[in-house]
Amino acid sequence: MKVDDVKVVGVLGAGTMGNGIVQVCAMAGYEVIMRDIEQSFLDRGMNAIKKSLSKFVSKGKMTEDEMNAVLDRIKPTLDMKDLESADLVIEAVVEKMDVKKAVFKELNEIVKNQDAIFASNTSTLSITEMSAVTRKPENFVGIHFMNPVPLMKGVEIVRGLLTSDETLNFAVEFVKKIGKEPVVCKDSAGFISNRILMPWINEGIYVLYEGIATKEEIDKGMRLFTNVPMGPLELADLIGLDICLAAIETLHRELGDKYRPCPLLKQMVSAGLLGRKTGRGFYEY
């Protein structure tokens, strides 16, 4: 499969990551099928895309007509069978291995193009394990976007054990074509981004948990000391504490005790304090 052969991109999931991926693919000129399991999820996803595109219009980065053309290239659907025409499918469903495997097994029977590329946007889970349930593991690759997808330039390209050179090259070229910068790595828990980022967030939570400093001082300090735009607690609230915990637990399971999640993080997730999406995490929104 060559990048120039791709006409239709399928995206599984209309959440924060899914709708962002849909948007950038549609902005690059692709017809995009966005599939989710509930109409309310699709409606929320389309509203997020419209809001994001409207900001580009207000800033003079695209015209109203260009925005409408992007929206016309997006087809929201509840029916998995609508993905039959896809040449590339990017999965962005919940970060649970059994769920991801189930959708890829289903895609095996639906996607007509036998050379189609299947990709996962997972942030920590094994690309190799997912590829094992697909009809062509050599055509499987990790394409991990960063949040918010329309604004963040970097994309991790993750090579599974069986990913072919051709598929890896395809992923690199596709990411460039949609205006992003690829960074290639091997399949290992957390890849580059979360293997480094999640312990940083977790340690920030430990500093709060141990009473070393207030949340405001922790975040202010890290912004000033390291020139990052957000401190670890602010960033955790943006990502979602449940997502952070899932990622850290994967690192802990795969790589050992130095990645053990902070008890405070586990307590907050149990209490439903997940950050911006619930209106309260380390901060109130």
Side-chain angles (χ1 to χ4, degrees), residues 214-264:
T214 65
K215 59 181 181 286
E216 292 85 1
E217 292 297 294
I218 293 166
D219 285 333
K220 177 184 176 182
M222 293 312 296
R223 290 196 306 272
L224 292 173
F225 304 153
T226 63
N227 205 30
V228 292
M230 303 179 78
L233 307 180
E234 296 169 301
L235 184 56
D237 275 356
L238 175 65
I239 295 170
L241 271 61
D242 53 335
I243 294 171
C244 291
L245 178 59
I248 294 166
E249 286 179 332
T250 298
L251 291 169
H252 182 218
R253 183 172 62 251
E254 297 292 331
L255 301 173
D257 268 358
K258 71 176 181 177
Y259 297 96
R260 184 181 298 278
C262 179
L264 176 59

CSV table of all heavy atoms in Angstrom, one decimal, residues 214-264:
chain,number,residue,atom,x,y,z
A,214,THR,N,2.5,22.6,47.5
A,214,THR,CA,1.1,22.7,47.1
A,214,THR,C,1.1,22.4,45.6
A,214,THR,O,2.1,22.5,44.9
A,214,THR,CB,0.5,24.1,47.3
A,214,THR,OG1,1.2,25.0,46.5
A,214,THR,CG2,0.6,24.5,48.8
A,215,LYS,N,-0.1,22.1,45.1
A,215,LYS,CA,-0.3,21.8,43.6
A,215,LYS,C,0.1,23.0,42.8
A,215,LYS,O,0.8,22.9,41.8
A,215,LYS,CB,-1.7,21.4,43.3
A,215,LYS,CG,-2.8,22.3,43.7
A,215,LYS,CD,-4.2,21.8,43.3
A,215,LYS,CE,-5.3,22.7,43.6
A,215,LYS,NZ,-5.6,22.8,45.1
A,216,GLU,N,-0.2,24.2,43.3
A,216,GLU,CA,0.1,25.4,42.6
A,216,GLU,C,1.6,25.6,42.5
A,216,GLU,O,2.2,26.0,41.4
A,216,GLU,CB,-0.5,26.7,43.2
A,216,GLU,CG,-2.0,26.7,43.2
A,216,GLU,CD,-2.7,26.0,44.3
A,216,GLU,OE1,-2.0,25.4,45.1
A,216,GLU,OE2,-4.0,25.9,44.3
A,217,GLU,N,2.3,25.4,43.6
A,217,GLU,CA,3.8,25.5,43.6
A,217,GLU,C,4.5,24.5,42.8
A,217,GLU,O,5.5,24.8,42.1
A,217,GLU,CB,4.3,25.5,45.0
A,217,GLU,CG,3.9,26.7,45.9
A,217,GLU,CD,4.4,28.0,45.4
A,217,GLU,OE1,5.7,28.2,45.4
A,217,GLU,OE2,3.6,28.8,44.9
A,218,ILE,N,3.9,23.3,42.8
A,218,ILE,CA,4.5,22.2,42.0
A,218,ILE,C,4.4,22.6,40.5
A,218,ILE,O,5.4,22.5,39.7
A,218,ILE,CB,3.8,20.9,42.2
A,218,ILE,CG1,4.1,20.4,43.6
A,218,ILE,CG2,4.2,19.8,41.2
A,218,ILE,CD1,3.1,19.2,44.1
A,219,ASP,N,3.3,23.0,40.0
A,219,ASP,CA,3.1,23.3,38.6
A,219,ASP,C,3.8,24.6,38.2
A,219,ASP,O,4.5,24.6,37.2
A,219,ASP,CB,1.6,23.4,38.3
A,219,ASP,CG,0.9,22.1,38.2
A,219,ASP,OD1,1.5,21.1,37.9
A,219,ASP,OD2,-0.3,22.1,38.5
A,220,LYS,N,3.8,25.6,39.1
A,220,LYS,CA,4.5,26.8,38.8
A,220,LYS,C,6.0,26.5,38.7
A,220,LYS,O,6.7,27.0,37.8
A,220,LYS,CB,4.3,27.8,39.9
A,220,LYS,CG,5.0,29.1,39.8
A,220,LYS,CD,4.8,30.1,41.0
A,220,LYS,CE,5.6,31.3,40.9
A,220,LYS,NZ,5.4,32.2,42.1
A,221,GLY,N,6.5,25.7,39.7
A,221,GLY,CA,7.9,25.4,39.7
A,221,GLY,C,8.4,24.7,38.4
A,221,GLY,O,9.4,25.1,37.8
A,222,MET,N,7.6,23.7,38.0
A,222,MET,CA,8.0,23.0,36.8
A,222,MET,C,8.0,23.8,35.6
A,222,MET,O,8.8,23.6,34.6
A,222,MET,CB,7.2,21.7,36.7
A,222,MET,CG,7.5,20.6,37.8
A,222,MET,SD,9.3,20.4,38.1
A,222,MET,CE,9.8,19.6,36.6
A,223,ARG,N,7.0,24.7,35.5
A,223,ARG,CA,6.9,25.6,34.3
A,223,ARG,C,8.1,26.5,34.3
A,223,ARG,O,8.7,26.7,33.3
A,223,ARG,CB,5.6,26.5,34.4
A,223,ARG,CG,4.3,25.7,34.1
A,223,ARG,CD,3.2,26.6,33.8
A,223,ARG,NE,3.0,27.7,34.8
A,223,ARG,CZ,2.2,27.5,35.9
A,223,ARG,NH1,1.6,26.4,36.1
A,223,ARG,NH2,2.1,28.5,36.8
A,224,LEU,N,8.5,27.0,35.5
A,224,LEU,CA,9.6,28.0,35.5
A,224,LEU,C,11.0,27.2,35.4
A,224,LEU,O,11.9,27.7,34.8
A,224,LEU,CB,9.6,28.7,36.9
A,224,LEU,CG,8.5,29.7,37.0
A,224,LEU,CD1,8.5,30.3,38.5
A,224,LEU,CD2,8.6,30.9,36.0
A,225,PHE,N,11.1,26.0,36.0
A,225,PHE,CA,12.4,25.3,36.0
A,225,PHE,C,12.7,24.7,34.7
A,225,PHE,O,13.9,24.5,34.4
A,225,PHE,CB,12.4,24.3,37.1
A,225,PHE,CG,12.1,24.8,38.5
A,225,PHE,CD1,11.5,23.9,39.4
A,225,PHE,CD2,12.3,26.1,38.9
A,225,PHE,CE1,11.2,24.3,40.7
A,225,PHE,CE2,12.0,26.5,40.2
A,225,PHE,CZ,11.4,25.7,41.1
A,226,THR,N,11.7,24.2,34.0
A,226,THR,CA,12.0,23.4,32.8
A,226,THR,C,11.4,24.0,31.5
A,226,THR,O,11.5,23.4,30.4
A,226,THR,CB,11.4,22.0,33.0
A,226,THR,OG1,10.0,22.0,33.1
A,226,THR,CG2,12.0,21.3,34.2
A,227,ASN,N,10.7,25.1,31.6
A,227,ASN,CA,10.1,25.8,30.4
A,227,ASN,C,9.0,25.0,29.7
A,227,ASN,O,8.8,25.2,28.5
A,227,ASN,CB,11.2,26.2,29.5
A,227,ASN,CG,10.9,27.4,28.6
A,227,ASN,OD1,10.1,28.2,29.0
A,227,ASN,ND2,11.4,27.4,27.4
A,228,VAL,N,8.4,24.1,30.5
A,228,VAL,CA,7.2,23.4,29.9
A,228,VAL,C,6.0,24.3,30.0
A,228,VAL,O,5.9,25.2,30.8
A,228,VAL,CB,6.9,22.1,30.6
A,228,VAL,CG1,8.1,21.1,30.4
A,228,VAL,CG2,6.7,22.3,32.1
A,229,PRO,N,5.0,24.2,29.1
A,229,PRO,CA,3.8,25.0,29.1
A,229,PRO,C,2.9,24.7,30.2
A,229,PRO,O,2.1,25.6,30.7
A,229,PRO,CB,3.2,24.8,27.8
A,229,PRO,CG,3.6,23.4,27.3
A,229,PRO,CD,5.0,23.3,27.9
A,230,MET,N,2.9,23.5,30.8
A,230,MET,CA,2.0,23.1,31.9
A,230,MET,C,2.8,22.2,32.8
A,230,MET,O,3.7,21.5,32.4
A,230,MET,CB,0.9,22.3,31.3
A,230,MET,CG,0.0,23.0,30.3
A,230,MET,SD,-1.3,21.9,29.7
A,230,MET,CE,-2.5,22.1,31.1
A,231,GLY,N,2.5,22.4,34.1
A,231,GLY,CA,3.1,21.5,35.1
A,231,GLY,C,2.4,20.1,35.1
A,231,GLY,O,1.4,19.9,34.4
A,232,PRO,N,3.0,19.2,35.9
A,232,PRO,CA,2.5,17.8,35.8
A,232,PRO,C,1.0,17.6,36.3
A,232,PRO,O,0.3,16.8,35.7
A,232,PRO,CB,3.4,17.0,36.8
A,232,PRO,CG,4.0,18.1,37.6
A,232,PRO,CD,4.1,19.3,36.8
A,233,LEU,N,0.6,18.4,37.3
A,233,LEU,CA,-0.8,18.2,37.8
A,233,LEU,C,-1.8,18.9,36.8
A,233,LEU,O,-2.9,18.3,36.5
A,233,LEU,CB,-0.9,18.8,39.2
A,233,LEU,CG,0.1,18.3,40.2
A,233,LEU,CD1,-0.1,18.9,41.5
A,233,LEU,CD2,0.1,16.8,40.3
A,234,GLU,N,-1.4,20.0,36.2
A,234,GLU,CA,-2.3,20.6,35.2
A,234,GLU,C,-2.4,19.7,34.0
A,234,GLU,O,-3.5,19.6,33.5
A,234,GLU,CB,-1.6,22.0,34.8
A,234,GLU,CG,-1.5,23.0,35.8
A,234,GLU,CD,-0.7,24.2,35.3
A,234,GLU,OE1,0.5,24.0,35.0
A,234,GLU,OE2,-1.2,25.3,35.3
A,235,LEU,N,-1.3,19.1,33.6
A,235,LEU,CA,-1.3,18.3,32.4
A,235,LEU,C,-2.1,17.0,32.7
A,235,LEU,O,-2.9,16.5,31.8
A,235,LEU,CB,0.1,17.9,32.0
A,235,LEU,CG,0.3,17.1,30.8
A,235,LEU,CD1,-0.4,17.8,29.6
A,235,LEU,CD2,1.7,16.8,30.5
A,236,ALA,N,-2.0,16.5,33.9
A,236,ALA,CA,-2.8,15.3,34.3
A,236,ALA,C,-4.3,15.6,34.2
A,236,ALA,O,-5.1,14.8,33.6
A,236,ALA,CB,-2.4,14.8,35.7
A,237,ASP,N,-4.7,16.8,34.6
A,237,ASP,CA,-6.1,17.2,34.5
A,237,ASP,C,-6.5,17.3,33.1
A,237,ASP,O,-7.7,16.9,32.7
A,237,ASP,CB,-6.3,18.5,35.2
A,237,ASP,CG,-6.6,18.3,36.7
A,237,ASP,OD1,-6.6,17.2,37.2
A,237,ASP,OD2,-6.7,19.4,37.4
A,238,LEU,N,-5.7,17.8,32.2
A,238,LEU,CA,-6.0,17.9,30.8
A,238,LEU,C,-6.1,16.6,30.1
A,238,LEU,O,-7.1,16.3,29.4
A,238,LEU,CB,-4.9,18.7,30.1
A,238,LEU,CG,-5.1,18.9,28.6
A,238,LEU,CD1,-6.3,19.6,28.2
A,238,LEU,CD2,-3.9,19.5,28.0
A,239,ILE,N,-5.2,15.7,30.4
A,239,ILE,CA,-5.2,14.3,29.8
A,239,ILE,C,-6.4,13.5,30.3
A,239,ILE,O,-7.0,12.8,29.6
A,239,ILE,CB,-3.9,13.6,30.1
A,239,ILE,CG1,-2.7,14.3,29.4
A,239,ILE,CG2,-3.9,12.1,29.6
A,239,ILE,CD1,-1.3,13.8,29.8
A,240,GLY,N,-6.7,13.6,31.6
A,240,GLY,CA,-7.7,12.8,32.3
A,240,GLY,C,-6.9,11.9,33.2
A,240,GLY,O,-6.1,11.1,32.8
A,241,LEU,N,-7.3,11.9,34.5
A,241,LEU,CA,-6.6,11.1,35.5
A,241,LEU,C,-6.8,9.7,35.3
A,241,LEU,O,-5.9,8.9,35.6
A,241,LEU,CB,-7.0,11.6,36.9
A,241,LEU,CG,-6.2,12.7,37.5
A,241,LEU,CD1,-6.3,14.0,36.7
A,241,LEU,CD2,-6.6,13.0,39.0
A,242,ASP,N,-7.9,9.3,34.8
A,242,ASP,CA,-8.2,7.8,34.5
A,242,ASP,C,-7.2,7.3,33.4
A,242,ASP,O,-6.7,6.2,33.5
A,242,ASP,CB,-9.6,7.6,34.1
A,242,ASP,CG,-10.1,8.5,33.0
A,242,ASP,OD1,-9.6,9.6,32.8
A,242,ASP,OD2,-11.1,8.1,32.3
A,243,ILE,N,-7.0,8.2,32.4
A,243,ILE,CA,-6.1,7.8,31.3
A,243,ILE,C,-4.7,7.7,31.8
A,243,ILE,O,-3.9,6.8,31.5
A,243,ILE,CB,-6.2,8.8,30.1
A,243,ILE,CG1,-7.6,8.7,29.5
A,243,ILE,CG2,-5.2,8.5,29.1
A,243,ILE,CD1,-8.0,9.8,28.5
A,244,CYS,N,-4.3,8.7,32.6
A,244,CYS,CA,-3.0,8.7,33.2
A,244,CYS,C,-2.7,7.4,34.0
A,244,CYS,O,-1.7,6.7,33.9
A,244,CYS,CB,-2.7,9.9,34.1
A,244,CYS,SG,-2.6,11.4,33.2
A,245,LEU,N,-3.7,7.1,34.9
A,245,LEU,CA,-3.6,5.9,35.7
A,245,LEU,C,-3.5,4.6,34.9
A,245,LEU,O,-2.6,3.8,35.2
A,245,LEU,CB,-4.8,5.8,36.7
A,245,LEU,CG,-4.8,4.6,37.6
A,245,LEU,CD1,-3.6,4.5,38.5
A,245,LEU,CD2,-6.1,4.5,38.4
A,246,ALA,N,-4.3,4.5,33.8
A,246,ALA,CA,-4.2,3.3,33.0
A,246,ALA,C,-2.8,3.2,32.4
A,246,ALA,O,-2.3,2.1,32.3
A,246,ALA,CB,-5.3,3.4,31.9
A,247,ALA,N,-2.3,4.3,31.9
A,247,ALA,CA,-1.0,4.3,31.3
A,247,ALA,C,0.1,3.9,32.3
A,247,ALA,O,1.0,3.1,32.0
A,247,ALA,CB,-0.6,5.7,30.7
A,248,ILE,N,0.0,4.5,33.5
A,248,ILE,CA,1.0,4.2,34.5
A,248,ILE,C,1.0,2.8,35.0
A,248,ILE,O,2.0,2.1,35.2
A,248,ILE,CB,0.9,5.2,35.7
A,248,ILE,CG1,1.2,6.6,35.2
A,248,ILE,CG2,1.8,4.8,36.9
A,248,ILE,CD1,0.8,7.7,36.2
A,249,GLU,N,-0.3,2.2,35.1
A,249,GLU,CA,-0.4,0.8,35.5
A,249,GLU,C,0.2,-0.1,34.4
A,249,GLU,O,0.7,-1.1,34.8
A,249,GLU,CB,-1.9,0.5,35.7
A,249,GLU,CG,-2.4,1.1,37.0
A,249,GLU,CD,-3.9,0.9,37.3
A,249,GLU,OE1,-4.7,0.7,36.3
A,249,GLU,OE2,-4.3,0.8,38.5
A,250,THR,N,0.0,0.3,33.2
A,250,THR,CA,0.7,-0.5,32.1
A,250,THR,C,2.2,-0.5,32.3
A,250,THR,O,2.8,-1.6,32.2
A,250,THR,CB,0.3,0.0,30.7
A,250,THR,OG1,-1.2,-0.2,30.6
A,250,THR,CG2,1.0,-0.8,29.6
A,251,LEU,N,2.7,0.7,32.5
A,251,LEU,CA,4.2,0.8,32.7
A,251,LEU,C,4.6,0.0,33.9
A,251,LEU,O,5.7,-0.7,33.9
A,251,LEU,CB,4.6,2.2,32.9
A,251,LEU,CG,4.4,3.1,31.6
A,251,LEU,CD1,4.6,4.6,32.0
A,251,LEU,CD2,5.5,2.7,30.6
A,252,HIS,N,3.9,0.0,35.0
A,252,HIS,CA,4.2,-0.7,36.2
A,252,HIS,C,4.2,-2.2,36.0
A,252,HIS,O,5.1,-2.9,36.4
A,252,HIS,CB,3.2,-0.3,37.3
A,252,HIS,CG,3.4,-1.0,38.6
A,252,HIS,ND1,2.4,-1.4,39.4
A,252,HIS,CD2,4.6,-1.2,39.3
A,252,HIS,CE1,3.0,-1.9,40.5
A,252,HIS,NE2,4.3,-1.8,40.4
A,253,ARG,N,3.1,-2.6,35.3
A,253,ARG,CA,3.0,-4.1,35.0
A,253,ARG,C,4.1,-4.6,34.1
A,253,ARG,O,4.7,-5.7,34.3
A,253,ARG,CB,1.6,-4.3,34.3
A,253,ARG,CG,1.3,-5.8,34.0
A,253,ARG,CD,-0.1,-6.0,33.6
A,253,ARG,NE,-0.4,-5.3,32.3
A,253,ARG,CZ,-1.2,-4.2,32.2
A,253,ARG,NH1,-1.7,-3.7,33.3
A,253,ARG,NH2,-1.4,-3.6,31.0
A,254,GLU,N,4.5,-3.8,33.1
A,254,GLU,CA,5.5,-4.2,32.1
A,254,GLU,C,6.9,-4.0,32.5
A,254,GLU,O,7.8,-4.7,32.1
A,254,GLU,CB,5.2,-3.5,30.7
A,254,GLU,CG,3.8,-3.9,30.1
A,254,GLU,CD,3.7,-5.3,29.7
A,254,GLU,OE1,4.8,-5.9,29.3
A,254,GLU,OE2,2.6,-5.8,29.7
A,255,LEU,N,7.1,-2.9,33.3
A,255,LEU,CA,8.5,-2.5,33.5
A,255,LEU,C,9.0,-2.4,34.9
A,255,LEU,O,10.1,-2.1,35.2
A,255,LEU,CB,8.7,-1.1,32.9
A,255,LEU,CG,8.4,-1.0,31.4
A,255,LEU,CD1,8.5,0.5,30.9
A,255,LEU,CD2,9.4,-1.8,30.6
A,256,GLY,N,8.1,-2.7,35.9
A,256,GLY,CA,8.5,-2.8,37.3
A,256,GLY,C,8.1,-1.7,38.2
A,256,GLY,O,7.4,-0.8,37.9
A,257,ASP,N,8.6,-1.9,39.4
A,257,ASP,CA,8.1,-1.1,40.6
A,257,ASP,C,8.4,0.4,40.5
A,257,ASP,O,7.8,1.2,41.1
A,257,ASP,CB,8.7,-1.6,41.9
A,257,ASP,CG,7.7,-2.7,42.5
A,257,ASP,OD1,6.7,-2.9,41.9
A,257,ASP,OD2,8.1,-3.2,43.6
A,258,LYS,N,9.4,0.8,39.7
A,258,LYS,CA,9.7,2.2,39.7
A,258,LYS,C,8.6,3.0,39.0
A,258,LYS,O,8.6,4.3,39.1
A,258,LYS,CB,11.1,2.5,39.0
A,258,LYS,CG,11.1,2.3,37.5
A,258,LYS,CD,12.5,2.7,36.9
A,258,LYS,CE,12.5,2.5,35.4
A,258,LYS,NZ,13.8,2.9,34.9
A,259,TYR,N,7.7,2.3,38.4
A,259,TYR,CA,6.5,3.0,37.8
A,259,TYR,C,5.2,2.8,38.6
A,259,TYR,O,4.2,3.0,38.1
A,259,TYR,CB,6.3,2.4,36.4
A,259,TYR,CG,7.5,2.7,35.4
A,259,TYR,CD1,8.5,1.7,35.2
A,259,TYR,CD2,7.6,3.9,34.8
A,259,TYR,CE1,9.5,2.0,34.4
A,259,TYR,CE2,8.7,4.1,33.9
A,259,TYR,CZ,9.6,3.2,33.7
A,259,TYR,OH,10.7,3.4,32.9
A,260,ARG,N,5.4,2.4,39.8
A,260,ARG,CA,4.2,2.2,40.7
A,260,ARG,C,3.3,3.5,40.8
A,260,ARG,O,3.9,4.6,41.1
A,260,ARG,CB,4.6,1.8,42.1
A,260,ARG,CG,3.4,1.4,43.0
A,260,ARG,CD,3.9,1.0,44.4
A,260,ARG,NE,4.8,-0.2,44.3
A,260,ARG,CZ,4.3,-1.4,44.3
A,260,ARG,NH1,3.0,-1.6,44.3
A,260,ARG,NH2,5.1,-2.4,44.2
A,261,PRO,N,2.0,3.4,40.5
A,261,PRO,CA,1.2,4.6,40.5
A,261,PRO,C,1.0,5.2,42.0
A,261,PRO,O,0.9,4.4,42.9
A,261,PRO,CB,-0.1,4.2,40.0
A,261,PRO,CG,-0.2,2.7,40.1
A,261,PRO,CD,1.3,2.2,40.0
A,262,CYS,N,1.0,6.5,42.1
A,262,CYS,CA,0.8,7.1,43.4
A,262,CYS,C,-0.6,6.8,44.0
A,262,CYS,O,-1.6,6.8,43.2
A,262,CYS,CB,1.0,8.6,43.2
A,262,CYS,SG,0.7,9.5,44.8
A,263,PRO,N,-0.7,6.4,45.3
A,263,PRO,CA,-2.0,6.1,45.9
A,263,PRO,C,-3.0,7.3,45.7
A,263,PRO,O,-4.2,7.0,45.5
A,263,PRO,CB,-1.6,5.9,47.3
A,263,PRO,CG,-0.2,5.5,47.3
A,263,PRO,CD,0.4,6.2,46.2
A,264,LEU,N,-2.5,8.5,45.7
A,264,LEU,CA,-3.4,9.7,45.5
A,264,LEU,C,-4.1,9.6,44.2
A,264,LEU,O,-5.3,9.9,44.0
A,264,LEU,CB,-2.7,11.0,45.7
A,264,LEU,CG,-3.5,12.3,45.5
A,264,LEU,CD1,-4.7,12.3,46.4
A,264,LEU,CD2,-2.6,13.5,45.7
